Amino acid sequence: MGLQNPYQKYKQNSIMTATPQELVLLLYNGAMKFLKQAILHLENKDIPKAHSAIIRVQNITLEFMATVDRNYEVGENLYNLYDYMYNRLIQANISKEAKMLQEVYDMYKELRDTWEEAMKIAKKGK
């Protein structure tokens, strides 16, 4: 077994010990990170790397879509938002338009900030 990078080991331990709420936050942060990378790669005309980063965000978005509880109105609305974001990612990947990626980034940021605030409120309530 090879030596593991200390950062990678820390990151893996963080994921393995995270609560479900923290995992959602990690996914939101990951989507935002990959969107920023994709935008940067498009600006640098590195289409293969931009494509790869967009695909990673699409996969995260699909995971959110698969796990949302659509039995409630709020869940259905959230699913529809993720579906919209997913379609914008596809369009951005085809057209290579950073503007669409920025739109999805802004939506992910709002979702992440809202989720983070909900986590803080839930902790205070314990």
Side-chain angles (χ1 to χ4, degrees):
M1 187 177 206
L3 293 175
Q4 201 174 21
N5 175 332
Y7 173 74
Q8 291 291 10
K9 187 170 179 136
Y10 169 79
K11 191 167 135 183
Q12 182 179 6
N13 285 340
S14 295
I15 293 169
M16 299 302 288
T17 59
T19 66
Q21 296 82 8
E22 291 167 335
L23 287 174
V24 170
L25 191 61
L26 288 171
L27 285 172
Y28 282 142
N29 287 332
M32 292 168 59
K33 177 181 99 175
F34 295 128
L35 282 162
K36 281 296 181 189
Q37 287 176 358
I39 292 167
L40 182 65
H41 292 315
L42 285 178
E43 289 170 358
N44 293 329
K45 307 285 190 244
D46 192 339
I47 302 306
K49 284 185 180 178
H51 171 77
S52 180
I54 294 168
I55 292 297
R56 292 185 85 165
V57 182
Q58 284 178 259
N59 289 337
I60 290 170
T61 306
L62 284 174
E63 185 63 30
F64 280 127
M65 291 172 73
T67 59
V68 72
D69 185 351
R70 296 174 66 186
N71 290 319
Y72 302 94
E73 184 178 352
V74 69
E76 186 65 27
N77 291 339
L78 191 55
Y79 179 88
N80 290 335
L81 179 61
Y82 289 137
D83 186 52
Y84 174 80
M85 293 164 69
Y86 184 76
N87 285 310
R88 292 300 279 173
L89 290 166
I90 291 171
Q91 292 170 356
N93 209 359
I94 292 168
S95 67
K96 304 303 184 223
E97 285 190 37
K99 184 178 177 182
M100 286 185 214
L101 295 177
Q102 186 62 50
E103 175 190 1
V104 175
Y105 177 90
D106 293 342
M107 286 187 252
Y108 261 117
K109 184 176 184 329
E110 189 169 333
L111 286 167
R112 192 271 321 263
D113 292 349
T114 302
W115 186 258
E116 207 168 33
E117 188 62 31
M119 287 175 62
K120 288 176 188 173
I121 292 169
K123 276 186 180 179
K124 287 180 185 176
K126 285 186 176 181

